[in-house]
């Protein structure tokens, strides 16, 4: 039987201050994933960097090729010249930091174990059976369109709604542009994916600096894939993100003025596995707290997420059956399995 990997929302809820924690580690003792004997030190830090300026003008087809190549080969890439003003990024990070520095009782007002709530705070948690502490705290909320949701966001710090709203609206534009390019890179109509797109959900992730404790291993967030079309991750200047590349873990360190884009489960299904959902995790840093802002693009409930018909032929039979995002989302919360196995439940019957 495959091990049950707790998903973030399974967190039983110890008080935030309860666990104080452990070492900086790269290992995930639970995992069925590639042997994690360490991070590939030979990796030269060459996260593919794609310049979004290429989107406009005569280099568009080069840009699309580069995006397609990065999605297929790496499952992730960084984009620069994305158009999100630096000031909005800094405001977002400052606001996130201010929120997580609020007194605990203020933050805990948002705690909820209902995955469908408009906003919820997920705390760090201890998994004592495995001697693991997962230290990430996150505030997760819907944000598209901003006006429909912002009244339910925190009103403390006082600038939260304004600054977060500005960032969310800006990052949404980047998502749409990148999804158009990804559609084209697959040979689909430019708006094929955008037409499926509905929501936009943001997770403000806060990783406290860790200290020694009695638990064996502290994870920032454990190995997982995201249930998204794509995820756009903006990190502050503290490293922590790791991804699997050629069966090895590599660090994806922050690149000034760039955001990281990676493939999620829905794009894997839609592309008939041409683009694979990226396995990733975050480690903690013993000296410094870390903040990242993950923007999750996901389809509307009734969106049909099977492999695009244009990508199916005799040589490329459909790996997944047709299903709706709603079916996927429900099964994701119902069936406990490793995130990397979630899509297996939607595989096409083989003849
Ligand atoms: C996430 C995630 C990684 C990070 O929010 O889904 O994987 O570096 N975050 O914070
Ligand atoms: Ni993730």
């Amino acid at each position: 039987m495959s091990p049950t990997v707790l998903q973030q929302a399974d967190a039983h809820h110890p008080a935030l201050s309860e666990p104080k924690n452990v070492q900086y580690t790269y290992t995930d003792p639970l995992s069925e994933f590639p042997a994690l004997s360490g991070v590939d030190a030979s990796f030269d830090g060459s996260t593919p960097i794609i310049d979004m300026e290429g989107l406009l003008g005569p280099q568009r087809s080069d840009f699309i090729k580069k995006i397609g190549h990065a999605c297929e080969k790496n499952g992730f890439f960084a984009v620069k010249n994305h158009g999100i003003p630096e000031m909005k990024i800094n405001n977002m990070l400052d606001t996130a930091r201010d929120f997580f520095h609020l007194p605990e009782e203020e933050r805990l007002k948002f705690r909820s174990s209902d995955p469908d709530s408009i906003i919820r705070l997920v705390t760090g948690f201890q998994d004592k059976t495995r001697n693991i502490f997962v230290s990430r705290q996150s505030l997760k909320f819907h944000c598209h369109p901003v006006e429909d949701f912002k009244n339910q966001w925190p009103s403390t710090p006082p600038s939260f709604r304004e600054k977060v709203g500005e960032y969310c609206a800006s990052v949404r534009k980047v998502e749409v542009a990148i999804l158009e390019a990804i559609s084209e890179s697959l040979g689909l109509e430019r708006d094929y994916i955008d037409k499926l797109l509905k929501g936009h959900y943001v997770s403000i992730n806060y990783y406290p600096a860790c200290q020694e404790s009695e638990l064996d291993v502290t994870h920032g967030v454990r190995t997982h894939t995201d249930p998204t079309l794509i995820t756009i991750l903006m990190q502050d200047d503290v490293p922590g993100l790791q991804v699997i590349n050629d069966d090895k873990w590599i660090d994806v360190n922050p690149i000034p003025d760039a955001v990281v884009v990676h493939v999620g489960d829905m794009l894997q299904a839609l592309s008939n596995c041409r683009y694979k959902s990226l396995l990733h995790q975050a480690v903690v840093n013993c000296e410094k707290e870390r903040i990242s802002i993950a923007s999750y693009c996901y389809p509307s409930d009734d969106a049909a997420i099977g492999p695009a018909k244009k990508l199916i032929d005799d040589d490329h039979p459909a790996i997944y059956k047709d299903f709706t995002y709603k079916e996927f989302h429900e099964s994701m919360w119902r069936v406990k399995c490793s995130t990397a196995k979630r899509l297996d439940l939607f595989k096409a019957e083989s003849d």
Side-chain angles (χ1 to χ4, degrees):
M1 211 177 73
S2 57
T4 298
V5 176
L6 287 180
Q7 299 185 31
Q8 290 119 25
D10 295 341
H12 35 289
H13 298 298
L16 272 180
S17 53
E18 193 185 311
K20 271 296 180 189
N21 26 52
V22 197
Q23 81 243 38
Y24 184 62
T25 178
Y26 294 111
T27 59
D28 179 356
L30 301 176
S31 99
E32 340 141 28
F33 305 124
L36 306 179
S37 47
V39 170
D40 183 5
S42 67
F43 178 69
D44 59 1
S46 53
T47 299
I49 301 184
I50 297 181
D51 188 338
M52 272 188 78
E53 248 168 28
L55 255 185
L56 308 165
Q59 305 100 2
R60 184 171 170 87
S61 63
D62 277 359
F63 174 83
I64 287 166
K65 260 192 223 130
K66 279 190 197 146
I67 287 221
H69 183 76
C71 286
E72 193 159 350
K73 181 167 178 301
N74 307 91
F76 74 101
F77 51 92
V79 283
K80 58 178 194 178
N81 289 320
H82 40 64
I84 312 171
E86 195 184 337
M87 197 182 68
K88 290 191 187 172
I89 291 183
N90 292 338
N91 287 343
M92 177 77 209
L93 289 171
D94 290 346
T95 308
R97 207 170 287 112
D98 290 349
F99 176 81
F100 279 102
H101 289 171
L102 288 174
E104 199 169 84
E105 61 280 9
E106 189 64 44
R107 279 173 287 142
L108 289 180
K109 285 181 193 161
F110 294 94
R111 192 155 77 177
S112 161
S113 54
D114 173 7
D116 290 326
S117 63
I118 299 292
I119 181 160
R120 67 194 174 97
L121 180 87
V122 180
T123 65
F125 63 97
Q126 295 186 62
D127 180 350
K128 286 202 168 130
T129 54
R130 299 198 182 93
N131 229 2
I132 286 172
F133 174 52
V134 177
S135 73
R136 177 174 77 164
Q137 300 165 26
S138 43
L139 186 69
K140 296 170 183 290
F141 48 91
H142 288 269
C143 54
H144 182 76
V146 166
E147 291 310 316
D148 286 4
F149 297 108
K150 78 180 203 190
N151 289 344
Q152 296 184 57
W153 299 349
S155 51
T156 330
S159 61
F160 191 100
R161 293 177 182 175
E162 181 196 342
K163 304 298 184 208
V164 172
E166 283 174 2
Y167 176 80
C168 291
S170 274
V171 82
R172 174 81 179 182
K173 291 188 193 144
V174 181
E175 288 167 356
V176 168
I178 289 179
L179 286 172
E180 283 178 354
I182 288 179
S183 259
E184 287 185 79
S185 77
L186 288 165
L188 304 172
E189 298 79 43
R190 187 163 170 165
D191 62 354
Y192 183 95
I193 302 179
D194 285 350
K195 274 204 257 179
L196 307 175
L197 189 60
K198 172 157 181 270
H200 176 196
Y201 191 70
V202 158
S203 177
I204 300 183
N205 302 315
Y206 177 74
Y207 301 92
C210 72
Q211 298 153 9
E212 293 295 316
S213 108
E214 76 284 3
L215 289 182
D216 271 358
V217 180
T218 293
H219 290 249
V221 61
R222 286 186 284 185
T223 309
H224 66 284
T225 61
D226 288 352
T228 54
L229 288 157
I230 53 168
T231 301
I232 298 193
L233 190 81
M234 194 260 284
Q235 322 181 55
D236 69 4
D237 56 357
V238 180
L241 175 65
Q242 299 182 330
V243 309
I244 288 193
N245 197 50
D246 285 340
D247 287 341
K248 293 197 184 114
W249 284 106
I250 56 167
D251 289 314
V252 180
N253 292 334
I255 300 172
D257 305 323
V259 293
V260 174
V261 180
H262 68 78
V263 175
D265 298 345
M266 296 300 92
L267 184 53
Q268 173 169 326
L270 191 147
S271 69
N272 205 28
C273 265
R274 195 156 130 198
Y275 300 165
K276 301 217 174 43
S277 194
L278 183 75
L279 277 168
H280 58 287
Q281 63 181 12
V283 293
V284 286
N285 184 297
C286 283
E287 275 103 49
K288 290 185 182 161
E289 64 183 17
R290 170 171 182 260
I291 292 202
S292 73
I293 315 291
S295 297
Y296 304 117
C297 306
Y298 63 91
S300 55
D301 273 357
D302 59 354
I305 309 289
K309 299 289 170 277
K310 244 186 167 170
L311 305 181
I312 306 302
D313 57 31
D314 287 348
D315 294 334
H316 304 94
I319 293 172
Y320 300 105
K321 56 188 178 187
D322 289 332
F323 58 95
T324 62
Y325 180 65
K326 185 164 190 238
E327 287 168 319
F328 176 82
H329 192 251
E330 280 171 4
S331 99
M332 171 175 121
W333 292 102
R334 202 179 54 239
V335 182
K336 275 196 182 150
C337 66
S338 115
T339 59
K341 300 252 186 256
R342 284 188 296 226
L343 269 178
D344 290 357
L345 303 169
F346 296 89
K347 281 209 158 150
E349 310 281 321
S350 48
D351 304 325

